[in-house]
Amino acid sequence: MLPKFGNVLIGYTLIKVMPRDVSSFAKKNGFIWGPEPEIYNGLAGFYTYGPMGKALKTNVEDLLRSVFDSNEFWEVETPIIAPAQVWKASGHLAGFTDPLIRDVANNIFRADKLIEEYMLNNGMNPDEENVGSLNAEALLKLIKKYEIKSPNGKLLKMNIENHNLMMKTTIGTDIEAYSRPETATTTYLPFRNYHEYFRKKMPMKVYQVGKSFRNEISPRQSVVRGREFTQFEAQLFLFENHKHEFEDYDKVKEAKIQLWSSKDQLEKKGWNAVTLQNALKKGIIKNKAYAWSLSLAQAFVKSLGIPEDRVRYRQHHLDEKAFYSNDTWDLEFRTDSFGWIEIAGISDRNDYDLKQHAKSSGQNLTIEGETPHIIELAFGSDRIVYTLLDVFLEDEKVGDDTRVVWRIPRNLAPVRFAIFPLQKKDGLAEKAREVYDSLSRAHRCVLDESGSIGKRYRRQDERGTPQCITIDYDTLKDDTVTLRDRDTMEQKRIKISDLK
């Protein structure tokens, strides 16, 4: 039997669940504020990123950009709102729903999330019941089995409704339209322009970073479940034969990824790290282009520094994935706050999307008589940000004291250097400003003159600043400073010219 995280199967060691109040930490340190607008009592599912949070989110999205830019993807930007005809063609108007359940006081909740939260709070593993892929009848059976009530202790009505997630608006006086629930659909629509721009060469690679909107049922869990959120979605347009003859596959075939197949999930088995080559040979994944797409997601995961025992790729069950999907896997991270959460979806969508929009618009979206297929990689920026706050946040004993330290990897830290003059007099403040101005040309820095040096160190530890620089009287003599490391707390003298 595999060891477990709480009651979650993992292939490593026993790890105790230690939830932290990440939301309070995020609010205190200027990462995430809300629900917004706070002065009007807030509306669930809408949040503000403070200075630290916005800087972190930008770093995450720039890291994604670097992965996809280096693999010849191009960024585009499309409208957020589209007329109803678009969403009817894509299937969103009819089928983009979540399971809603009410209690006897008519409060509403998302049924699957209510069950997951109950199980996690009671030391059980939602994976063992495959909660995320169950239909309404199966969800009701679990609610009865565990005698689940609403969070306020009221009885639930044994009826599940389909709640449409689309946010409706009106253009002008009478044009029915909707805010996009994901960026993918509006990214597909300029297909003919892509074909011309890329000089009619296939495959074509584009991505979009932008806001999407979903009318979520009673969203909780901070930015993990928002009604307004940011997505980073990449689209690979290719012919069907390209999937099996994808040239770049050979460059990544030895990459190892933690795959949890539908078969292993149903058999209550854990996941294993396998090479893409072996996964393809065993039929766990279906084609070379899809394997290459998984390698892009994994390259991004590695750049985040998330520990391996917190990462898995979970395959959708046959009755869970969209009917048109050839294959879909979710990249999931294990958080201390909410267990496993979906960070990205990687889906082989076949030729469904372009065929649907060709049929609805009456336009020809084929190339030489063939409708291209699409492989999509869809990341949620907000969920990645929350995971980074959760995973790297620690309480550390230092003598008789406890320090809060956020060990975010250096390449993602919102602030690279904090600069402290030992005192505000005798030219130290001016020298600190000189160092700040120099380093700020290449890095985001802060200049902090308030409080004792020890308090300033603790403040920056909590905000994840990798290194602090102290300007003292020796600095005025020899142009050296004290460089202090966040993780080890070690200090050393270094020339100002060597700071980088």
Side-chain angles (χ1 to χ4, degrees):
M1 184 66 179
L2 285 168
K4 298 181 179 182
F5 160 69
N7 281 324
V8 181
L9 288 166
I10 63 170
Y12 296 94
T13 55
L14 186 65
I15 303 173
K16 189 176 180 181
V17 181
M18 294 288 288
R20 297 185 188 88
D21 190 354
V22 176
S23 294
S24 294
F25 164 80
K27 181 178 178 66
K28 173 189 173 186
N29 288 286
F31 287 98
I32 300 167
W33 297 325
E36 294 287 20
E38 286 187 353
I39 64 171
Y40 290 98
N41 298 321
L43 192 59
F46 297 93
Y47 292 89
T48 290
Y49 282 91
M52 293 290 287
K54 180 57 180 173
L56 174 61
K57 186 166 176 280
T58 297
N59 288 347
V60 165
E61 290 163 0
D62 284 348
L63 196 57
L64 275 164
R65 283 185 173 96
S66 71
V67 170
F68 284 86
D69 288 351
S70 64
N71 283 279
E72 300 180 281
F73 282 78
W74 287 82
E75 184 172 2
V76 298
E77 182 176 328
T78 65
I80 287 173
I81 295 172
Q85 184 182 7
V86 169
W87 307 113
K88 184 177 180 181
S90 67
H92 284 91
L93 281 188
F96 197 58
T97 61
D98 274 343
L100 178 152
I101 193 166
R102 302 175 187 268
D103 66 15
V104 293
N106 225 32
N107 298 304
I108 60 175
F109 307 95
R110 182 169 160 178
D112 55 342
K113 296 302 178 186
L114 202 60
I115 295 169
E116 287 180 356
E117 289 171 15
Y118 173 87
M119 296 185 75
L120 286 169
N121 290 339
N122 287 274
M124 292 180 279
N125 175 15
D127 288 340
E128 293 178 356
E129 299 282 7
N130 291 316
V131 174
S133 62
L134 299 180
N135 60 26
E137 181 182 357
L139 291 172
L140 287 175
K141 283 183 179 179
L142 283 184
I143 289 170
K144 290 177 181 177
K145 175 181 176 180
Y146 295 114
E147 299 180 347
I148 298 173
K149 298 179 180 179
S150 69
N152 55 25
K154 296 185 183 297
L155 293 174
L156 296 170
K157 296 178 181 179
M158 289 297 101
N159 178 57
I160 288 180
E161 309 165 36
N162 286 328
H163 170 72
N164 193 284
L165 298 173
M166 300 294 289
M167 284 193 178
K168 188 177 181 180
T169 188
T170 301
I171 298 174
T173 60
D174 59 355
I175 300 174
E176 180 183 349
Y178 294 84
S179 298
R180 62 188 184 192
E182 30 92 300
T183 65
T185 295
T186 55
T187 308
Y188 302 148
L189 301 183
F191 170 76
R192 293 192 304 182
N193 290 322
Y194 299 148
H195 191 221
E196 290 297 321
Y197 175 79
F198 291 112
R199 293 181 293 175
K200 302 182 179 181
K201 294 180 180 179
M202 295 286 282
M204 301 187 300
K205 305 170 184 176
V206 297
Y207 68 84
Q208 181 168 187
V209 188
K211 290 285 189 180
S212 297
F213 303 84
R214 295 180 187 177
N215 193 17
E216 280 269 1
I217 305 164
S218 59
R220 295 187 294 279
Q221 301 182 344
S222 185
V223 294
V224 172
R225 284 180 58 204
R227 287 176 165 136
E228 176 185 0
F229 51 94
T230 304
Q231 290 183 301
F232 185 113
E233 296 192 316
Q235 315 297 335
L236 172 63
F237 297 88
L238 71 175
F239 293 127
E240 185 172 13
N241 67 297
H242 286 158
K243 293 180 180 179
H244 306 282
E245 304 166 3
F246 202 75
E247 291 182 3
D248 289 337
Y249 163 75
D250 286 336
K251 300 175 185 176
V252 301
K253 64 184 180 182
E254 297 301 327
K256 279 192 172 183
I257 296 185
Q258 309 237 91
L259 297 178
W260 196 23
S261 68
S262 173
K263 179 175 180 290
D264 284 344
Q265 292 171 57
L266 294 173
E267 293 176 357
K268 310 294 185 186
K269 295 180 180 177
W271 48 91
N272 296 294
V274 296
T275 65
L276 291 171
Q277 185 175 35
N278 286 339
L280 193 60
K281 284 181 180 178
K282 294 176 181 178
I284 299 172
I285 52 180
K286 296 183 177 181
N287 58 70
K288 292 180 178 180
Y290 194 87
W292 178 78
S293 300
L294 287 174
S295 79
L296 297 184
Q298 186 62 13
F300 172 65
V301 170
K302 286 191 172 183
S303 67
L304 289 177
I306 301 289
E308 286 187 359
D309 64 338
R310 291 182 179 268
V311 179
R312 71 184 183 193
Y313 293 79
R314 184 187 70 82
Q315 187 178 30
H316 283 207
H317 301 299
L318 288 175
D319 59 355
E320 177 188 5
K321 68 183 178 70
F323 70 90
Y324 52 79
S325 171
N326 183 38
D327 200 10
T328 299
W329 293 70
D330 286 343
L331 165 60
E332 298 181 333
F333 289 164
R334 175 171 58 77
T335 65
D336 290 339
S337 299
F338 305 123
W340 291 96
I341 61 175
E342 176 192 345
I343 296 299
I346 300 97
S347 181
D348 181 344
R349 301 175 64 91
N350 286 323
D351 57 5
Y352 171 80
D353 300 283
L354 293 180
K355 278 188 172 179
Q356 285 295 107
H357 292 297
K359 180 180 177 182
S360 178
S361 67
Q363 301 297 313
N364 179 14
L365 300 181
T366 64
I367 298 175
E368 297 178 358
E370 183 177 354
T371 302
H373 289 216
I374 298 171
I375 296 178
E376 175 190 42
L377 296 95
F379 297 84
S381 300
D382 309 275
R383 292 184 174 196
I384 298 166
V385 166
Y386 190 91
T387 299
L388 294 172
L389 293 172
D390 178 285
V391 167
F392 292 109
L393 181 60
E394 294 181 12
D395 294 331
E396 182 179 74
K397 205 72 173 161
V398 181
D400 295 328
D401 192 16
T402 299
R403 72 165 180 154
V404 178
V405 56
W406 183 48
R407 299 185 189 276
I408 187 72
R410 186 176 296 185
N411 63 316
L412 290 167
V415 174
R416 177 65 183 84
F417 292 109
I419 298 146
F420 309 148
L422 186 63
Q423 297 186 46
K424 295 181 182 179
K425 59 184 182 179
D426 299 332
L428 296 178
E430 290 78 7
K431 188 65 176 179
R433 169 61 67 176
E434 180 185 316
V435 172
Y436 171 86
D437 289 343
S438 175
L439 291 175
S440 291
R441 296 189 189 109
H443 307 283
R444 181 179 292 277
C445 303
V446 296
L447 182 60
D448 189 352
E449 301 176 344
S450 304
S452 68
I453 292 294
K455 286 183 179 179
R456 284 183 261 178
Y457 282 155
R458 290 290 184 266
R459 190 153 55 227
Q460 296 304 320
D461 289 344
E462 193 165 342
R463 294 182 177 181
T465 305
Q467 292 177 310
C468 295
I469 299 165
T470 300
I471 310 296
D472 56 25
Y473 288 100
D474 286 336
T475 308
L476 303 179
K477 298 175 184 176
D478 57 14
D479 257 6
T480 64
V481 296
T482 298
L483 184 68
R484 187 257 195 186
D485 183 81
R486 175 197 67 202
D487 295 335
T488 65
M489 295 186 287
E490 291 181 356
Q491 301 182 26
K492 63 180 180 181
R493 296 297 291 187
I494 185 172
K495 282 277 189 184
I496 291 175
S497 58
D498 290 335
L499 290 169
K500 56 187 175 181

